[in-house]
Amino acid sequence: MSVSRSRCKTPSPRPRVAPHIAVLPKSGIRDFFELVNTMEGVISLGIGEPDFVAPWKIREATIYSLQRGFTHYTSNLGDLKLRKAICRYFQNRFGGIYSPETECIVTVGVSEGLDIAIRAVTSPGDEVLYHEPCYVSYAPAVSMSHGVPVPVLTKAENDFVVQVEDLEKAVTPKTKLLLLNYPNNPTGAGMTLEDKKKIADFAIRHDLLVFSDEIYDELSYIPRSPSIATLPGMRERTVVFNGFSKAYAMTGFRIAYAVGPHDLVDAMMKIHQYSMLCAPGLSQFGAIEALNSCDEEREAMREEYEQRRNVIVKGFNSMGLHCFLPRGAFYVFPCIQSTGMSSMEFATQLLQEEKVAVIPGSAFGASGEGFVRCSYATAMEEIQEALVRLRRFLKKKGLH
Amino acid sequence: MAQKTQQERILALLKRNARISTQEIADRLNLTPAKAEAAIKKLEEEGIVRGYTALIANDTETITRAIIEVQIQPERDTGFDKVAQQICKFDEVVSAYLISGRYDLHLEVVGKSLQEVAHFVASKLSTQPGVKSCSTLFLLKKYKESGIELEKEEKYERLKISL
Ligand SMILES: Cc1ncc(COP(=O)(O)O)c(C=O)c1O
């Protein structure tokens, strides 16, 4: 085999990795991950996916699609039956009407949906507002599109709901897009209708696009309010992202969707077509079953999360680690400032001394410092044992 | 979807695990333990919760179980009830349902051996006034009971950490 000489012998004067990729941080807590992985007997509250297995009906429908030989590409946008089911679902849930033919795209997780949408609208130098602490992929996705990610901090005193005053301070003529994620990972924050209206006014005032990651929407513990996309003046500027990973415990299926105005979906579709071709067919058939016949299973999981939330919030507050009652998702975000430790120190010591894994809040942006993320997508017995260990940990340190 | 009542939530928790502590019920549903205790008492007093029982995996080696389907001659005024209640008095009968179709009662009967069950059917059950005929099906293996699969699925190890 002939090997290119320039690659092997003389180091190229040009960087092999593109600079805007080279500067992307790997996850800030890789060492912590490594530590968790080498330890036995760890109770992990650090898992961002359901502990439930996908409902059997979904698995069975997926197997059945295989038996019938549905092993081909689907339409780029996704199987039309699935897109119809998605648009029907969205209309029933929120009253928003989207065309399955032109305003809905099936993606490989919300991960891909957000990526292609951000790529579709971001030109070099465009600024993108996102609230922080937040899911780890937002800022990198913007950077990869040569956009400028602009974090807007949210605070515990506002239950981590992003405030228009803070958005106003961050917005510039270059701002093109606002990323929203409520219910929120990692804080469990949620938005009421009033909150959404204020954000909508802001977006309209500054003529911004809004990408709303509503992947935890079905896991809400407050009265349901409409998607921001359905508020007046918002439909044409909003893309809603949702998926099956959390609500139906289908993380491994890698299946999700976006609905939005035709021009944006069409632009996303171009990127999707050339980079992904289509989402996995098998998963699409599982997703159809999820939407058509798994409301009860979904609701049973939601209720179990809600009850675990009650238990874990009470537990933290009773040991002096204040945490507000999450409005959605399956995370609590207790404040650990009273311990005098940084969130990384807290997580590391808790892991080493009591074998409980939580995620340092700093993993979700600098504003997460002083907090830790604890997932209650974990069996109740484990949550209870983790609380016992945590209490012991604080006692030993004279902190409780 | 209609919101569940508190009573329905408590029933669902007890059904899933009758040994759940009052404290856990209280914590899950944001109640005081006293309130939770009172709610459970009420369910028991009203006869909604009739008892608590253990779900035991295959005990077929020590106990013989049979499904017995029984045809009954219904009686004026009481229909099937009187005969059915009479049959339920036997300790050997662990569950009994009125059913539609060719037979009228569906019983689950236990005994120490095949002979014992057969003897019970021949000498006690089929000779009851009102019983026209019986069909006996011996149970060989139990796979699922009260919504719980008895052979555990292999559990997939999730990543210990994911963001
Ligand atoms: C806020 C948020 N968005 C998106 C994702 C990714 O979801 P998907 O599995 O659909 O790619 C996650 C997963 O943790 C998340 O928390």
Side-chain angles (χ1 to χ4, degrees):
Chain A
M1 201 172 76
S2 79
V3 179
S4 149
R5 229 184 325 141
S6 63
R7 232 183 257 167
C8 279
K9 298 240 171 85
T10 43
S12 163
R14 282 182 299 174
R16 285 155 62 111
V17 174
H20 72 291
I21 301 298
V23 298
L24 286 182
K26 287 188 206 157
S27 172
I29 58 169
R30 264 183 115 78
D31 296 344
F32 183 70
F33 278 28
E34 290 305 314
L35 192 60
V36 175
N37 278 323
T38 57
M39 285 175 75
E40 292 290 323
V42 172
I43 292 186
S44 182
L45 302 183
I47 306 180
E49 65 168 331
D51 55 317
F52 297 105
V53 178
W56 174 248
K57 278 188 222 157
I58 295 172
R59 290 187 273 158
E60 197 272 341
T62 310
I63 295 167
Y64 183 51
S65 76
L66 267 180
Q67 286 174 333
R68 283 183 296 170
F70 292 178
T71 57
H72 302 277
Y73 292 133
T74 67
S75 139
N76 292 136
L77 286 173
D79 188 272
L80 186 59
K81 272 204 290 302
L82 174 56
R83 280 182 281 141
K84 282 184 172 162
I86 290 165
C87 293
R88 204 179 316 122
Y89 163 85
F90 199 86
Q91 186 173 0
N92 291 340
R93 178 107 173 73
F94 300 117
I97 297 176
Y98 289 92
S99 151
E101 280 83 13
T102 56
E103 296 179 315
C104 174
I105 179 168
V106 177
T107 59
V108 183
V110 167
S111 304
E112 191 228 351
L114 276 168
D115 177 42
I116 60 177
I118 290 171
R119 281 200 267 166
V121 304
T122 311
S123 308
D126 283 349
E127 292 176 8
V128 177
L129 300 178
Y130 66 102
H131 50 87
E132 207 208 75
C134 69
Y135 184 52
V136 289
S137 74
Y138 295 167
V142 173
S143 302
M144 285 190 278
S145 302
H146 304 277
V148 182
V150 180
V152 177
L153 309 194
T154 60
K155 303 182 200 84
E157 69 207 53
N158 300 317
D159 290 353
F160 296 102
V161 173
V162 66
Q163 302 295 301
V164 169
E165 304 90 87
D166 298 322
L167 289 169
E168 289 287 1
K169 281 178 215 150
V171 75
T172 75
K174 288 196 189 145
T175 308
K176 172 125 192 221
L177 168 67
L178 168 63
L179 296 177
L180 286 179
N181 169 225
Y182 292 97
N184 181 256
N185 175 9
T187 62
M191 273 192 171
T192 61
L193 180 57
E194 285 312 304
D195 296 327
K196 289 176 189 174
K197 280 183 178 158
K198 285 186 217 158
I199 302 298
D201 283 349
F202 166 81
I204 293 167
R205 198 158 56 243
H206 295 280
D207 192 22
L208 302 181
L209 295 171
V210 173
F211 289 173
S212 185
D213 175 354
E214 302 183 5
I215 191 165
Y216 294 101
D217 171 69
E218 282 288 358
L219 305 180
S220 289
Y221 316 119
I222 53 172
R224 299 186 151 177
S225 63
S227 167
I228 194 164
T230 61
L231 298 181
M234 289 304 289
R235 188 190 194 283
E236 59 268 31
R237 64 179 70 250
T238 308
V239 180
V240 176
F241 300 83
N242 202 336
F244 298 85
S245 288
K246 317 288 172 168
Y248 298 93
M250 291 171 67
T251 44
F253 284 70
R254 309 307 306 124
I255 193 85
Y257 57 89
V259 291
H262 172 64
D263 60 332
L264 295 183
V265 168
D266 202 46
M268 288 166 67
M269 150 73 178
K270 282 197 231 168
I271 304 176
H272 178 74
Q273 170 187 5
Y274 295 131
S275 61
M276 203 63 70
L277 215 162
C278 67
L282 297 182
S283 303
Q284 296 190 44
F285 293 108
I288 292 173
E289 182 70 12
L291 287 175
N292 286 347
S293 60
C294 292
D295 289 4
E296 272 176 40
E297 288 86 345
R298 187 190 67 215
E299 173 56 21
M301 292 189 276
R302 191 204 66 80
E303 182 168 350
E304 176 64 17
Y305 292 133
E306 181 170 357
Q307 294 184 7
R308 292 175 187 172
R309 171 198 72 153
N310 295 342
V311 171
I312 200 167
V313 166
K314 184 169 176 230
F316 277 114
N317 282 326
S318 76
M319 44 185 116
L321 298 182
H322 176 71
C323 71
F324 86 105
L325 192 64
R327 290 170 170 177
F330 37 57
Y331 309 106
V332 285
F333 205 56
C335 176
I336 52 96
Q337 278 157 9
S338 62
T339 65
M341 287 181 256
S342 74
S343 60
M344 181 59 92
E345 284 164 357
F346 182 95
T348 308
Q349 292 185 26
L350 180 62
L351 180 65
Q352 284 170 333
E353 294 173 28
E354 289 290 349
K355 296 193 174 180
V356 174
V358 300
I359 312 264
S362 51
F364 305 97
S367 56
E369 183 50 56
F371 299 84
V372 293
R373 189 194 76 175
C374 304
S375 161
Y376 46 94
T378 303
M380 185 65 95
E381 304 84 74
E382 303 217 340
I383 291 174
Q384 281 169 332
E385 173 61 19
L387 289 172
V388 167
R389 294 186 189 186
L390 238 135
R391 202 177 287 279
R392 193 163 59 206
F393 173 75
L394 293 173
K395 262 218 173 90
K396 249 188 330 207
K397 303 216 169 304
L399 291 168
H400 178 59
Chain B
M1 209 171 297
Q3 278 285 308
K4 278 198 216 147
T5 63
Q6 189 189 90
Q7 190 174 69
E8 284 168 341
R9 289 183 214 277
I10 293 178
L11 280 175
L13 288 172
L14 289 173
K15 241 171 113 168
R16 199 167 61 185
N17 173 16
R19 293 194 68 208
I20 187 173
S21 67
T22 309
Q23 182 72 48
E24 183 177 331
I25 292 179
D27 289 348
R28 278 174 172 267
L29 304 181
N30 272 338
L31 301 170
T32 62
K35 277 243 170 69
E37 188 60 43
I40 297 167
K41 268 266 137 49
K42 186 154 169 268
L43 286 169
E44 290 169 354
E45 276 163 15
E46 288 178 356
I48 296 172
V49 171
R50 295 298 177 103
Y52 303 89
T53 175
L55 206 93
I56 295 164
N58 289 295
D59 52 6
T60 25
E61 272 155 41
T62 48
I63 295 181
T64 301
R65 294 176 179 272
I67 300 288
I68 318 238
E69 292 179 321
V70 186
Q71 262 185 336
I72 288 180
Q73 180 60 53
E75 291 179 14
R76 179 148 188 171
D77 296 334
T78 56
F80 296 102
D81 291 351
K82 205 171 125 214
V83 182
Q85 281 158 2
Q86 210 55 39
I87 289 172
C88 285
K89 298 264 182 256
F90 289 103
D91 287 342
E92 287 87 345
V93 176
V94 294
S95 66
Y97 304 90
L98 185 64
I99 54 174
S100 62
R102 247 158 45 82
Y103 288 88
D104 304 306
L105 281 188
H106 175 103
L107 307 178
E108 191 180 339
V109 166
V110 299
K112 286 201 192 67
S113 63
L114 210 108
Q115 284 78 8
E116 202 181 283
V117 172
H119 181 72
F120 171 76
V121 174
S123 69
K124 298 278 175 17
L125 193 62
S126 50
T127 58
Q128 285 292 305
V131 169
K132 290 203 298 194
S133 71
C134 294
S135 146
T136 303
L137 309 155
F138 284 101
L139 298 186
L140 305 179
K141 187 173 176 184
K142 183 160 67 183
Y143 294 101
K144 188 173 183 182
E145 192 177 323
S146 299
I148 294 183
E149 281 176 74
L150 300 174
E151 315 254 316
K152 280 248 160 65
E153 247 183 2
E154 183 191 355
K155 205 162 178 242
Y156 182 80
E157 276 281 328
R158 289 184 295 162
L159 293 175
K160 283 189 197 150
I161 280 199
S162 49
L163 295 169

